[in-house]
Amino acid sequence: MARALAFAAHSSAVSAMTVHLIGFLVSRGHPATFAATVAGPLGVLSVSGRLLLTGARRQGSLTTAVAGVFAEQADAAATLPWIAASRTGAAVGMIAFGIEFGVAPLAARALLADPYGTTVYATIADTLNTPVTLNTPVTLVEAGAPLAAVTVTTTVGGATTMTAISAACALAAFGILARANTPPP
């Protein structure tokens, strides 16, 4: 359950960042063309993140690597309000957040297959993809996060939205680590 909540928190953070990034950078004084150019490479950066995860997995625990990735995204989102005023700061912040963009989908499957084995993996994955189980809450959280973020942004400001995104990523990191040493059932 801790991992399911971790991935739900992470999905909400990524969803909110994806939808609100360009507006946030424009609010920091950047032209919309620059903001879109900085946000555009997120897809390419996700491939880099997947390569980094593969390398990190060979060096140690997948759980620790995924928690580290989520913590890095928390740091990137937390610092973005302070560094995004400059073009360099905006680009560095987005690279730091985006390089880990593609890790969660890969990690969720690997973290599921590791404790249970590949033989049982297909049955568990199929169960999780049934609309009445885990995917429904995760999808609802992912879909609702941008709406919550726009409410926060219009009420209190974009920096608070980035703080909430950071908190969701930090919660995801802690959620992944919470069950790191628990043996599978």
Side-chain angles (χ1 to χ4, degrees):
M1 186 64 153
R3 285 187 180 168
L5 292 174
F7 282 108
H10 186 260
S11 292
S12 70
V14 169
S15 180
M17 178 67 86
T18 302
V19 172
H20 291 283
L21 175 62
I22 293 173
F24 175 76
L25 292 176
V26 168
S27 77
R28 292 295 187 245
H30 297 291
T33 52
F34 173 79
T37 301
V38 169
L42 286 176
V44 173
L45 289 170
S46 72
V47 174
S48 302
R50 290 174 183 204
L51 293 173
L52 287 173
L53 179 64
T54 301
R57 186 172 182 188
R58 290 183 183 148
Q59 299 298 319
S61 162
L62 176 63
T63 303
T64 304
V66 171
V69 163
F70 291 173
E72 171 59 34
Q73 284 184 306
D75 290 344
T79 59
L80 206 54
W82 289 276
I83 65 172
S86 76
R87 287 183 176 221
T88 303
V92 167
M94 282 326 306
I95 289 169
F97 192 88
I99 201 130
E100 288 89 7
F101 220 61
V103 169
L106 205 62
R109 288 159 183 83
L111 287 171
L112 182 60
D114 279 354
Y116 298 102
T118 54
T119 306
V120 180
Y121 170 76
T123 303
I124 296 171
D126 183 53
T127 302
L128 290 176
N129 287 320
T130 304
V132 295
T133 60
L134 176 66
N135 267 357
T136 300
V138 171
T139 302
L140 290 174
V141 167
E142 191 174 284
L147 297 173
V150 77
T151 301
V152 171
T153 299
T154 56
T155 306
V156 225
T160 305
T161 301
M162 288 300 155
T163 301
I165 290 170
S166 175
C169 288
L171 177 65
F174 288 120
I176 292 296
L177 288 175
R179 302 291 293 191
N181 296 320
T182 303

